[in-house]
Amino acid sequence: MTLNKLEPGALVADQVFDAIHQGITNGDLVAGQRLRIRDLADQLGTSVMPVRDAIRRLEESGLVETIPYRGAVVRTFTARELLNVYAVRRVLEVEAAKLGVVNLGKPEQAVLKDQYDSMKAALADGDLAACLAFDEKFLSTIYLASGNSVLYESIERLWIQCRAYKLIGARRAVAEGKSRLLWEFQSKLLKAVKAQDVNLMAELTDRSILAAMERIRQALPSATQ
């Protein structure tokens, strides 16, 4: 585990939170890993107080949990919990896609194309964390166009909770020679956006999340129990 030392001049508490948050979402801090406060403080070059505060905030966001006799650890989702997250994402993201697609004009479509191209370039470079980040930017452009900030923020919180697992899934897809799974739905979404086809947008979003849920079931057999 390696975290970068903090930059001088910025608010320490926010930097500590961002550093640990990034470590979890990019897979440097893995599910179940203990978060030893003093070790983290030493790595980041700070006192223990902002680290304690960051861990408390990460608990509130669902990324960290406290286990008796172990202390704070990166939260581990059971297969069933992970499927439940995706089930809620399915409902929210289909609605956001339907609401957003009708508000995406040519300027927004150009932004989406750039984000799609950046996602594929990151994948070609082997940077899966960046690939997923551009994927989320791509979807954010669509969902923010819904005009419903509460809906988008709810989706974003669920993304954060399962981001580390999305990264694991992306690595598995690449290792199995199935990297197309990381971009094929986005390619189809671009066409649906251009046509402003609400029904197709809803169908593609639904199918994408259902496909992800099926991959979870295959990778984690206990999810079917």
Side-chain angles (χ1 to χ4, degrees), residues 41-85:
D42 289 344
Q43 281 198 54
L44 294 168
T46 186
S47 66
V48 298
M49 289 305 295
V51 176
R52 290 185 193 277
D53 181 64
I55 288 175
R56 177 187 58 77
R57 290 168 61 188
L58 289 163
E59 281 190 276
E60 292 173 354
S61 68
L63 288 178
V64 169
E65 59 186 343
T66 297
I67 297 177
Y69 310 111
R70 292 196 67 200
V73 301
V74 178
R75 182 178 175 183
T76 301
F77 285 88
T78 66
R80 176 51 54 189
E81 287 172 335
L82 195 57
L83 282 174
N84 287 341
V85 170

Side-chain angles (χ1 to χ4, degrees), residues 6 26 131 186 214 220:
L6 307 184
N26 68 14
C131 176
Q186 287 77 355
E214 182 56 32
L220 305 171

Side-chain angles (χ1 to χ4, degrees), residues 119-130:
M119 181 185 68
K120 290 200 70 177
L123 178 60
D125 290 340
D127 190 344
L128 295 182

Side-chain angles (χ1 to χ4, degrees), residues 122-138:
L123 178 60
D125 290 340
D127 190 344
L128 295 182
C131 176
L132 291 180
F134 282 118
D135 178 34
E136 289 181 359
K137 288 180 180 179
F138 176 92

Side-chain angles (χ1 to χ4, degrees), residues 158-225:
L158 294 174
W159 282 349
I160 290 170
Q161 288 185 10
C162 62
R163 185 106 196 287
Y165 292 88
K166 288 168 66 178
L167 187 59
I168 291 171
R171 288 171 177 160
R172 182 188 179 103
V174 171
E176 294 177 351
K178 299 176 180 178
S179 58
R180 62 176 178 78
L181 295 174
L182 305 179
W183 56 262
E184 64 178 354
F185 276 106
Q186 287 77 355
S187 175
K188 295 173 183 177
L189 285 172
L190 278 174
K191 296 177 181 177
V193 167
K194 187 174 182 179
Q196 293 195 314
D197 189 328
V198 174
N199 292 331
L200 180 58
M201 198 74 180
E203 178 189 346
L204 289 171
T205 302
D206 192 52
R207 284 170 49 198
S208 174
I209 295 177
L210 284 174
M213 293 175 73
E214 182 56 32
R215 290 195 294 272
I216 291 170
R217 291 187 181 95
Q218 292 176 3
L220 305 171
S222 60
T224 61
Q225 298 177 1

